[in-house]
Amino acid sequence: MMQHKNISWYRHTVTRRLREDKNRHKATVLWFTGLSGSGKSTIADFLEQKLYDMNIKTYLLDGDNLRCGLCSDLGFSNLDRKENIRRIGHIAKLMVDAGLLVITAFISPYRKDREMIRNLFNKDQFIEVFINTPLSTCEARDPKGLYEQVRSGKLCDFTGIDNKYEIPEKPDIQLNGEESINKLVNNLLDLLKIRGII
């Protein structure tokens, strides 16, 4: 990545801490990772609804939404996946600086890329959430019909089938994607409370 000599980060008068004080909650990013069909988007959406009802300032970054615009120039090669995650990480960082609780829902299959994003944040600003759902369950759900396309040979380089997914070694929280949405979201809310974020 190119570094420009004449550019430096401008420190604004209104800081993240001032925004957090006004919002009455901490800013952080919940980085959901897991296979396609694991439940990331569904759980993230339900969690955001709960947080919204609690007057928590949030924003949900979803993979498909970003690929419709900011990342529409990227494909699914390893390099493009890395760049996709890099862009998303920097968007999330800006949103955390804005005082928001950011929820992301991306497969983000590679440990090295997830670690790159973690390193953008202070230790207390990043929570890796591994949605651990068996491949068989993800494939049975197949909400977008992607697994069916892979099995019929219409789609290749698909994470979990012919492209690897590297399971997080030490996620901040691991959720069983076969459990009820209510239980999983309550687990996440409990974690946010324990960490003093909400």
Side-chain angles (χ1 to χ4, degrees):
M1 185 175 64
M2 185 182 295
Q3 296 289 332
H4 299 281
K5 294 178 184 176
N6 299 322
I7 296 176
S8 60
W9 189 265
Y10 185 84
R11 300 197 179 278
H12 299 278
T13 305
V14 179
T15 65
R16 172 182 55 82
R17 289 190 183 275
L18 289 172
R19 295 183 184 104
E20 287 177 335
D21 288 345
K22 190 162 192 175
N23 292 342
R24 297 183 179 168
H25 64 79
K26 297 270 180 70
T28 195
V29 59
L30 285 163
W31 190 275
F32 285 46
T33 179
L35 294 172
S36 178
S38 61
K40 298 182 302 299
S41 293
T42 303
I43 298 164
D45 185 50
F46 198 80
L47 174 64
E48 187 178 39
Q49 291 176 55
K50 291 286 188 182
L51 291 167
Y52 178 82
D53 290 341
M54 297 166 65
N55 294 316
I56 305 297
K57 306 291 189 296
T58 65
Y59 197 84
L60 172 53
L61 292 169
D62 184 81
D64 284 354
N65 292 354
L66 284 165
R67 281 190 177 271
C68 286
L70 180 70
C71 299
S72 61
D73 60 322
L74 300 175
F76 291 91
S77 68
N78 287 352
L79 280 176
D80 280 358
R81 287 173 192 261
K82 182 183 182 74
E83 175 60 14
N84 184 56
I85 295 302
R86 188 192 70 80
R87 291 181 192 181
I88 292 158
H90 283 279
I91 292 168
K93 184 174 174 64
L94 289 170
M95 289 185 159
V96 165
D97 190 55
L100 301 177
L101 195 160
V102 184
I103 307 163
T104 76
F106 304 97
I107 294 172
S108 49
Y110 306 124
R111 290 188 196 110
K112 191 172 181 180
D113 293 345
R114 295 191 301 264
E115 194 61 27
M116 170 184 68
I117 302 308
R118 182 186 287 275
N119 290 334
L120 294 174
F121 297 90
N122 296 334
K123 189 175 181 181
D124 61 343
Q125 293 177 332
F126 185 90
I127 298 172
E128 185 178 53
V129 181
F130 174 35
I131 311 296
N132 189 2
T133 307
L135 177 60
S136 58
T137 300
C138 296
E139 195 163 353
R141 290 173 178 170
D142 204 10
K144 301 174 188 174
L146 298 175
Y147 288 99
E148 184 179 349
Q149 291 182 54
V150 173
R151 297 301 185 190
S152 65
K154 295 177 184 174
L155 189 64
C156 60
D157 289 332
F158 190 75
T159 303
I161 305 291
D162 52 359
N163 205 332
K164 63 183 175 180
Y165 175 80
E166 296 176 346
I167 293 172
E169 293 177 332
K170 294 181 180 178
D172 295 283
I173 184 169
Q174 178 171 303
L175 301 176
N176 179 349
E178 295 183 301
E179 292 183 336
S180 76
I181 294 287
N182 278 322
K183 180 177 181 181
L184 298 178
V185 167
N186 284 336
N187 287 343
L188 289 167
L189 291 172
D190 287 344
L191 177 65
L192 292 172
K193 289 171 185 172
I194 288 168
R195 294 202 174 187
I197 293 165
I198 61 173

